[in-house]
Every structure is written in structure tokens, then in C-alpha cells.
Amino acid sequence: MNRIADIAARLQGYDPQALRADQANAFLDQLVAPVQGSEDVAIFGALGRVLAQDVISPISVPPHDNSAMDGYAFDGAQLAAGTALELQVVGTALAGKAWQGSVGPGQCVKIMTGAIMPAGLDTVVPQEFTQAAGEGRIAIPAGLLQPGDNRRHKGEDLQQGLPALRKGERLTPAACGLAASLGLETVNVARRLKVAYFSTGDEILSLGEAPREGAVYDSNRYTVHGLLTRLGCEVIDMGVVRDEPALLEAAFREAAASADAIITSGGVSVGEADYTKAMMQKLGDVAFWKIAMRPGRPMAVGRIGKSVLFGLPGNPVAVMVTFLAFVRPALLRMMGGSEQAPPLLRARSQEAMRKKPGRTEYQRGIVSTAADGSLQVRITGNQGSGVLSSMVQANGLIVLAHDQGNMAVGDEVQVQMFDGAI
Ligand code: AMP
Ligand code: MG
């Protein structure tokens, strides 16, 4: 296990008091490792799981050359430039069984989409291209077809013995279908990541508690629950933990005993008069960061027992932004996933944005298509780090890079679309 001090010593220019966002990712990349353990799951239960090994194709898909169209199969060598071809229909090949007859020159077989190509035939003329040419005969006008047209080749989708899906892939609906097309009933996936989370702060109310002056309802547990569920984690909700050392200690110990990762919100800002930071320090190997970013400056990361700790700030928007920027990629790595961060889009800013060089800023954006078909983006009004409605309205985060200064109307900005993550 990598200790905080060792990772810190290896990272060039590491300054926990003014950490660049990209350095935070580089640090976390060294802190976390894929969890051990895998299980076989049925395809219907495999969506979102991460493959623990390559899926080797036991068969070729499709298993035979077959027709891509409803039409007539024939030997394409008979096609001659500039002349129509007349053929006699000698039978019908249906999907699901092989047609057994033989086909000579000047003959063809009526064939359905997916039916096995009869021996010796390599070309299919779609039904709608043909003309009737007397009893049991068709004509193919000149210039419409090349030899080999409308034939699907055996193994053109997947070849027997080759990897069809790779270790580290997160199974999408398409990947589930692909595994099923190989006849596989189960796939071997990494065990689900267990993540425990709780909110801290004496002013935080649980649902069901009566409102009182100065108190706010806990929203972070609900956003974190949703974010983790979308990632396919097993979630352990530990509620709101009050700011008392004994309660915090019990919560951290219980979380560390049961989860691969612990996520907390609140209590990590500078000058917090609470015990959260002190307890993290006491029980674990933890770094307290000030990240050069907005929103979401303070963050604690490290380990308590064998669990990785992500101590997020308390502000609701900061929680989601730091989750997306740092926690999500780290959890994906722990899940055994190998996917790259999705590419950022480029869009024209519909408004001017004040931006200080020297920190990465994440503005909540609404990306839309302009009249000329290009992408444009505007911000969702109040960008305060407590304004959760801005996250609801937004469909992506405008990422203003570390060294970037003010932006003018029409400038190109980068956007990370939420794309199902939120
Ligand atoms: P902190 O990081 O603890 O200083 O909290 C920063 C701000 O976020 C304060 O206004 C808190 O009231 C608010 N906050 C902290 N935790 C939560 C939570 N779980 N749900 C909603 N707001 C929170
Ligand atoms: Mg607090």
C-alpha cells in the first residue's frame, strides 16, 4: 500500500496547500489500486459491471456466410459490365436452415435476410432491384451490383478464438448483447466496490427531522448515493454523523471495517471548528489538500485501515464537482475499469466569464446547438458553490483550465458533459 508521504515525495512540485487539479488526479492514481476478487454473473445482471478478464469468442459471429438482404443469391462472376443478367429461380433459402440444392450457371435462389448462402453463391441482389422476366425468372439491370454485394462474411463481427471484449471494459447494453451473441450465459466481472458514506456537521438535518433555525437538510448523502449508484457501486449509507469525537470515531471505524472506500462531506475546510479532520488524522494516513480549483477547494484523501478515504467539502456543488473530477476516476480504477475520461467538447461561450489564472474553474453549463449547427454554452445563473439548482439545470461542466484568464463572448471553452454520470 502506498503511503501518503511516499506518493508526495514522488510527485514533482507537490504542494498540498496549492495543488493543481491534474496533480490531485495523479496523486489519487497512485493511492488507489484495483480491488481483488471476481465473480460470474448472468448477462441480465452484468450491465455496468467491469470485466475481470478478456471474453474470448467461443464461436464466430456470424457462424456462416449469409445474406444481408431479402433477394436472390447467385454467382457474381456472371455479372458483366453494361448488360442485364437474367436468372432462373430454382429454390428458396430461409433463415435458420441451409438450402441443400445445387445451383448452376444462369440460376439463382430466392433468399431471406440472415439465411446461409448456398454453396458456390457469393452475391445477393435485393428484391427491389429485380424485374420480373417471365415465369420463375428475374432480371438484374446492368450496373447495379458488384460481385460479393450483400453477403455477410462468416466471423465478420467476431472471430472464434479472438477477444470479443477486453478486461477492464464496463459492460454497456451493446456489450451485454455482444456477450449474448456468443452464446455466453455468464461473464466474469470484478466484484462490486463497496463504498460507505456519511455527512458531517451539527447543522445538517436528516430527512424526517423538524427544521430548526440555522440548520439545513442533508442533500449530499442523496447526491453521493445517486452518483455511486450510477457507477454501479454497492452503497453503505451511514447517515449524518454529529460533530462529537466518539460518534465520528465509531463511524470511521465501522466504515473502514466494511467498505473499500469511504466518502464524507463537510468538515474539511480551513478553520473548521469541528473534529472531523482531527479524527481522520488520528485514525488514518491522510493528506489535507487545498486544491487550486473552484468550487471545491478543501479535500482530504488517504486511507483509514484498508479503506480509501475521500473527505469532500460540504458545499453541495463542491461535492458533485470534486466527485466528478477526482473521486469518480479513482473509484473506476478501484473497480478495475480501464476506460479513459470521455473527451471534452468544445463550445462557443454565449457569455463573458471572469476567470482568475492559477486555478481550474468548473462552471455549470447548458450546452445547446446554435442555428448554424455548432455547439454553444451558457452558464446557469448563480454559480455559488451551494446552489444545487445550478447542477440540476446544467447538462455539463464548463472546465476553465488552470492558466486560463477571462473569457469573452464567442470564445471557445471546453465542456465535460454529464452524460449519464450525474
Ligand atoms: P463545510 O465544508 O462543513 O464548511 O460546509 C460548507 C457548507 O456546506 C455549509 O454551508 C454547510 O452547511 C453546507 N453543507 C455541509 N454538509 C452538507 C450536507 N450534507 N448537505 C447540505 N449542505 C451541507
Ligand atoms: Mg461544517
Side-chain angles (χ1 to χ4, degrees):
M1 270 196 284
N2 268 330
R3 295 192 52 82
I4 293 288
D6 298 335
I7 302 171
R10 280 198 297 269
L11 268 193
Q12 277 248 310
Y14 171 75
D15 176 2
Q17 294 302 303
L19 196 66
R20 285 178 62 118
D22 50 3
Q23 279 184 320
N25 287 119
F27 190 106
L28 289 171
D29 206 44
Q30 295 195 40
L31 181 72
V32 306
V35 293
Q36 299 298 309
S38 68
E39 57 183 327
D40 289 336
V41 294
I43 305 295
F44 274 140
L47 186 65
R49 303 295 297 269
V50 176
L51 284 173
Q53 53 188 55
D54 289 353
V55 172
I56 305 297
S57 201
I59 54 170
S60 287
V61 179
H64 309 279
D65 286 8
N66 68 86
S67 176
M69 302 290 274
D70 289 341
Y72 299 88
F74 63 101
D75 176 2
Q78 300 166 95
L79 288 165
T83 4
L85 178 64
E86 255 194 58
L87 298 167
Q88 179 200 2
V89 184
V90 296
T92 302
L94 299 170
K97 42 181 175 281
W99 188 76
Q100 301 296 354
S102 66
V103 189
Q107 298 183 328
C108 66
V109 174
K110 189 169 165 61
I111 194 164
M112 303 303 151
T113 304
I116 299 172
M117 290 293 284
L121 309 188
D122 64 356
T123 306
V124 174
V125 57
Q127 171 78 48
E128 59 271 24
F129 285 6
T130 61
Q131 293 160 356
E135 181 66 21
R137 297 183 69 79
I138 58 158
I140 305 170
L144 281 181
L145 285 182
Q146 302 282 344
D149 277 359
N150 304 309
R151 173 184 50 159
R152 301 175 183 148
H153 289 264
K154 172 181 176 174
E156 74 176 22
D157 189 357
L158 300 164
Q159 277 184 38
Q160 184 176 8
L162 294 182
L165 296 166
R166 292 288 185 176
K167 177 182 174 175
E169 266 184 60
R170 236 167 16 122
L171 290 155
T172 58
C176 290
L178 190 103
S181 79
L182 300 175
L184 298 174
E185 290 175 39
T186 61
V187 281
N188 189 244
V189 296
R191 72 165 175 83
R192 257 146 70 96
L193 200 67
K194 287 188 199 149
V195 185
Y197 56 92
F198 55 89
S199 297
T200 68
D202 282 348
E203 80 282 26
I204 307 304
L205 294 174
S206 276
L207 294 182
E209 285 188 80
R212 61 171 192 270
E213 193 170 76
V216 293
Y217 281 108
D218 184 2
S219 57
N220 292 340
R221 263 166 60 227
Y222 300 88
T223 46
V224 167
H225 171 271
L227 292 163
L228 292 172
T229 303
R230 282 263 164 105
L231 254 189
C233 298
E234 192 177 318
V235 294
I236 306 172
D237 173 40
M238 297 182 59
V240 178
V241 178
R242 286 220 321 280
D243 194 26
E244 283 175 31
L247 296 177
L248 284 164
E249 176 157 3
F252 277 120
R253 286 193 190 282
E254 187 191 329
S258 53
D260 302 297
I262 306 168
I263 298 177
T264 63
S265 76
V268 294
S269 330
V270 200
E272 277 275 340
D274 62 25
Y275 295 103
T276 306
K277 278 163 89 172
M279 196 51 67
M280 290 174 175
Q281 189 108 57
K282 175 180 161 192
L283 299 178
D285 178 27
V286 180
F288 296 95
W289 286 344
K290 287 192 193 113
I291 307 175
M293 69 186 289
R294 194 163 121 141
R297 205 158 89 100
M299 187 169 159
V301 301
R303 222 178 247 114
I304 295 180
K306 289 197 176 101
S307 305
V308 175
L309 170 73
F310 302 95
L312 307 185
N315 273 310
V317 178
V319 165
M320 299 192 86
V321 169
T322 50
F323 185 95
L324 278 186
F326 309 118
V327 182
R328 191 172 191 274
L331 292 181
L332 272 169
R333 184 164 145 74
M334 293 177 75
M335 290 163 65
S338 59
E339 71 197 50
Q340 300 295 306
L344 299 182
L345 298 184
R346 293 185 158 277
R348 262 182 306 104
S349 179
Q350 292 174 269
E351 42 210 321
M353 286 180 268
R354 299 252 298 269
K355 163 71 173 64
K356 260 200 206 155
R359 67 184 185 202
T360 306
E361 287 191 16
Y362 302 85
Q363 310 253 359
R364 276 68 76 206
I366 301 175
V367 178
S368 60
T369 309
D372 66 358
S374 65
L375 294 181
Q376 58 186 10
V377 63
R378 65 181 198 276
I379 54 175
T380 57
N382 187 339
Q383 296 289 300
S385 61
V387 182
L388 199 48
S389 55
S390 70
M391 284 300 284
V392 176
Q393 288 158 24
N395 58 10
L397 287 177
I398 302 171
V399 184
L400 300 176
H402 188 85
D403 297 315
Q404 179 71 54
N406 291 340
M407 306 293 297
V409 175
D411 282 356
E412 216 176 49
V413 293
Q414 294 196 301
V415 186
Q416 180 179 355
M417 296 301 287
F418 290 157
D419 207 19
I422 278 201

